[in-house]
Structure formats: C-alpha cells, structure tokens
Amino acid sequence: MAVIVHLSCLLALLVPGLAQGIKNSLRVQDPGRRPLELKEVFTLFQIQYNRSYLNPAEHARRLDIFARNLARAQQLQEEDLGTAEFGVTPFSDLTEEEFDQLYGNQRTAGKAPNVDRKVGSDEWVESVPQTCDWRKKPGAISSVKYQKNCMCCWAMAAAGNIEAHWNIKYKQSVEVSVQELIDCDRCGDGCRGGFVWDAFITVLNNSGLASEKDYPFQGEARKHKCQAKKHKKVAWIQDFIMLSDNEQSIARYLATEGPITVTINKILLQQYQQGVIRATRTTCDPQHVDHAVLLVGFGKTKSVEGRQAKTVSSQSHRRHSTPYWILKNSWGADWGEKGYFRLHRGSNACGITKYPLTARVNQPVKKQHQVTCPP
Ligand SMILES: *[C@@H]1O[C@H](CO)[C@@H](O)[C@H](O)[C@H]1NC(C)=O
Ligand SMILES: *[C@@H]1O[C@H](CO)[C@@H](O)[C@H](O)[C@H]1NC(C)=O
C-alpha cells in the first residue's frame, strides 16, 4: 500500500500539472527533491502491479507505451471539468487497442431488444433523495470482479444487478454465476462481447441462475459448454425493463428499487485514478457506448473536494459541488476508487442514459418462458 501513495506523489513531481495539490504539499515537506525519471516511475509501476516482460525489447516497447499513456493522462487531466485525476493505472502499459481487446466490448453496433422504456416521468423529481449508496447495505453489492481477458462486462454488470435486487427483495445475499451467463449465451458472443440484455435473456431461458460458488468464473477468453442443468439455481428473474433516459427518474428508481446496469463510453477509463469525471460530448461521445457497468448510487461532492483548480476558467466549475453517479466496474479492486468510479450526474456523461436496464427478480413460476434473441 505504501508504494501506491509513493507512486502518485512521485508522479506529481514528474508531470507538472498532474495532481497539483499533492505536488504543492510535497514541496513544502521536501524541498529540492529531484524529479523522477520516466524509467524510475515505470519501475515503480512494475513493482506495484507485478509486471515483468519477456526480454529487453519488450521492456523497451512497454516503456514507450507507458510514456504515451502518461502523456494521454495529462491531456485528459487538462480537459476534465470535474474533479477527476488521471495518471498511472493497472493498464498503463497497454496500448488503446490492447486495452479494447482485453476489456472492451466488440459488439457495439447491436440493436436493443424491443423493450419499452418504462418507469420514469418528471412527477417524481421532488422525491429523489440527495444521496444513495447501495454499498452501505450489507450483502447487496458483491466484491469487485476482474474480467481476466474476457469481454464479459455485460455479464458481470447483469450478475451484480440480479444479486443486489435479490438481496433487497428477499434479504438474502447471493453471488450468481457469471460463467453460466457466458457459457449459455445464445444471443451474444460469450467472452468476445455481448449486451446486458443477452444475460437477462439467458437467465429467463435457463429458468434461473446457479451460484458463483457452484459454477465459478473461468475467464481467459473461453466459452465452455453450457452446464446450466448441472447446478441448482439460487436466483430467478421475471423480466427486465429499460428505464427512461431521464437522469432524475434513473436516480429515483435507483434509490427506491436498487442498482441498475448502464452502458457507457469507456474512453476515459484506462487512465482514470479517482474523482468525478466531467466530460463533454467531444471528450466522451455519448453515442458510442461500449462498456457495461453497475450503477450503485449517487451523491454530490463537497465544494472543497478535488484537486486545486489549474486555470481560472475551470475554477468556476469547482466552486460549486459536483453531482455524481457511483459506478461499479469489473476491472479489479486495484483500478479506480477501489474498483469503482464516479461520473458527473446531469449531463448524460459518456452516454450513461442510453441503456439503463434492470432485471426484476422473482421466485420461480411454473410457466416456461418463451424467449428469443433481439433482432
Ligand atoms: C507476479 O507475477 C508472476 C508471473 O508473472 C506470478 O508468478 C506471481 O505469483 C505474481 N505475484 C503476485 C504477488 O501476484
Ligand atoms: C434456450 O435454451 C435452449 C437449451 O435449453 C437452447 O437450445 C436455446 O438456444 C436457448 N435460447 C436462447 C434464446 O438462449
């Protein structure tokens, strides 16, 4: 843990403008400290994330990619209008293409199934609470998962949604099988990508979902034979719904019913460390959504939170508190804010309102579901 703190402090010295606040406080304690060389920062990165490379050529190539990612992080830092900090992350030695291959979702062009956008009208606006965080309810939100070379964010987000609603409705904590969603997926493409609704369709078709313990996650880009019939079911859903694209009514549903899945543009996340990302349509295209995550809460920063304003123009944004969404990612707990991240609320940040989707859990019913893949 000590290394983590150390690394971000050193980075502040290396890249002027990155995390100014830390830089300034460090200067006071430690005058005249020599800025770190890029190579030294890279070595610290390798230690922190246990990276080794096959040969010197590969090491040199990764160092080069690392340098480009840090430059990119600095650019994102300058563009961000919120309180987000960008810099070294567990993915700093990957090119954007590799990152997409490992953590993206190739099937971005598919069509949503014909589900009506239910729920949500502006009548509710007044009764939305100020804050909401389902992580505070014991047993509702399971541990942060790691996709492990498998593009299954859609399955992990769906599993998290079902787990939370099962806990809220039946006061039982369950952890459901992501591998069953991948193996038995007939609409999507397993570890090569899919949509959250593919996962819900699989749960309906399989008449429930096994536990993670009985049918554990394998990862590593493989789809195995569907073993749904071998394991006993621990959670069931009756259907799934798409919410309206109004952020107030999404907040209201989230606060009263439970976490929902959303699909966002992940372009800013490879370099993200912490804070509230406030993007524009240019820096994070809301039409290009390629990553599914679980929305678990919302709140507002205190007006003092966040890094110091760098420029006069961005200062005005920070005098006021920033409303945000809290999202659970599936890239491990050493990414972001212990595996979570925050996006600005109220500006359709990174396309968060495009596909707000949730399952509705229910004890099993006798009648067999008729399900088909979306067109
Ligand atoms: C570090 O990585 C090596 C393989 O690259 C692995 O054998 C080892 O268990 C890892 N150590 C930790 C602490 O994760
Ligand atoms: C439903 O499950 C059956 C096997 O039980 C499978 O043949 C079929 O492709 C599945 N359909 C969907 C839409 O998942």
Side-chain angles (χ1 to χ4, degrees):
M1 275 299 134
V3 179
I4 297 174
V5 175
H6 200 188
L7 191 60
S8 53
C9 295
L10 296 172
L11 198 70
L13 286 174
L14 175 83
V15 187
L18 208 69
Q20 283 280 354
I22 301 169
K23 182 179 173 181
N24 291 342
S25 62
L26 221 129
R27 248 203 222 122
V28 176
Q29 295 162 4
D30 202 357
R33 189 165 183 166
R34 171 183 70 92
L36 269 208
E37 300 276 339
L38 177 69
K39 276 185 182 164
E40 294 171 294
V41 181
F42 188 55
T43 303
L44 288 171
F45 162 83
Q46 286 185 268
I47 295 166
Q48 185 179 353
Y49 298 112
N50 189 31
R51 289 307 152 75
S52 53
Y53 305 106
L54 284 178
N55 51 52
E58 179 64 7
H59 183 276
R61 193 171 95 82
R62 291 295 156 189
L63 175 60
D64 191 50
I65 294 166
F66 184 79
R68 268 182 272 155
N69 277 328
L70 285 196
R72 168 91 177 125
Q74 192 177 355
Q75 183 201 340
L76 297 181
Q77 189 69 76
E78 281 158 14
E79 288 170 355
D80 184 65
L81 301 173
T83 66
E85 291 175 21
F86 299 90
V88 175
T89 72
F91 312 120
S92 290
D93 63 345
L94 301 175
T95 65
E96 207 178 308
E97 295 71 39
E98 288 170 329
F99 183 67
D100 265 0
Q101 287 289 314
L102 292 174
Y103 300 101
N105 193 352
Q106 283 176 346
R107 292 184 64 224
T108 51
K111 274 176 73 179
N114 287 330
V115 278
D116 289 336
R117 286 199 184 245
K118 292 189 190 167
V119 200
S121 70
D122 298 335
E123 302 155 32
W124 283 347
V125 168
E126 274 163 43
S127 49
V128 178
Q130 290 287 308
T131 61
C132 166
D133 188 349
W134 285 105
R135 293 173 298 183
K136 292 180 180 157
K137 184 177 191 308
I141 310 292
S142 62
S143 62
V144 170
K145 304 298 184 294
Y146 179 58
Q147 284 176 226
K148 232 197 232 169
N149 299 348
C150 173
M151 288 192 271
C152 56
C153 58
W154 55 276
M156 292 189 158
N161 172 254
I162 294 170
E163 289 163 356
H165 285 262
W166 194 265
N167 176 268
I168 291 162
K169 187 162 177 184
Y170 297 113
K171 301 180 175 58
Q172 257 169 19
S173 71
V174 289
E175 205 161 331
V176 296
S177 171
V178 169
Q179 196 62 42
E180 177 174 347
L181 296 175
I182 295 167
D183 293 348
C184 310
D185 173 25
R186 298 288 169 270
C187 307
D189 220 353
C191 272
R192 286 188 292 167
F195 291 106
V196 175
W197 49 80
D198 299 336
F200 292 148
I201 289 169
T202 302
V203 182
L204 289 171
N205 196 48
N206 289 359
S207 304
L209 201 49
S211 71
E212 169 65 23
K213 193 162 156 281
D214 289 347
Y215 196 160
F217 181 59
Q218 314 276 319
E220 306 295 351
R222 277 208 304 277
K223 184 167 171 172
H224 306 75
K225 198 166 166 295
C226 173
Q227 308 200 330
K229 296 217 161 68
K230 271 198 183 164
H231 304 287
K232 87 173 181 0
K233 307 295 183 196
V234 295
W236 295 262
I237 68 174
Q238 65 179 37
D239 61 4
F240 59 94
I241 56 170
M242 182 95 74
L243 305 186
S244 95
D245 60 4
N246 175 307
E247 283 179 79
Q248 285 279 3
S249 59
I250 291 173
R252 159 79 195 196
Y253 191 91
L254 183 69
T256 54
E257 304 292 328
I260 66 169
T261 70
V262 291
T263 307
I264 58 160
N265 184 340
K266 70 173 189 319
I267 191 155
L268 305 175
L269 301 184
Q270 185 181 355
Q271 327 289 350
Y272 171 84
Q273 291 180 323
Q274 60 178 327
V276 180
I277 298 174
R278 182 163 188 181
T280 63
R281 301 181 75 82
T282 320
T283 55
C284 197
D285 181 358
Q287 288 307 316
H288 179 90
V289 296
D290 58 357
H291 186 51
V293 292
L294 188 69
L295 189 54
V296 300
F298 55 85
K300 258 184 195 177
T301 60
K302 302 205 173 66
S303 28
V304 290
E305 187 185 335
R307 64 180 195 275
Q308 280 174 7
K310 295 185 305 267
T311 62
V312 177
S313 70
S314 56
Q315 221 155 18
S316 59
H317 287 285
R318 289 190 199 116
R319 228 178 283 132
H320 306 289
S321 66
T322 306
Y324 59 78
W325 294 112
I326 308 167
L327 302 112
K328 183 191 186 189
N329 204 348
S330 46
W331 295 345
D334 61 0
W335 174 86
E337 297 179 329
K338 298 193 167 79
Y340 291 79
F341 64 109
R342 287 178 291 162
L343 279 181
H344 181 258
R345 176 162 54 100
S347 58
N348 188 23
C350 299
I352 192 167
T353 64
K354 194 168 169 111
Y355 297 130
L357 206 66
T358 181
R360 295 195 291 191
V361 298
N362 211 349
Q363 302 281 12
V365 280
K366 280 266 143 53
K367 134 176 139 18
Q368 187 65 35
H369 286 282
Q370 281 288 318
V371 288
T372 51
C373 291

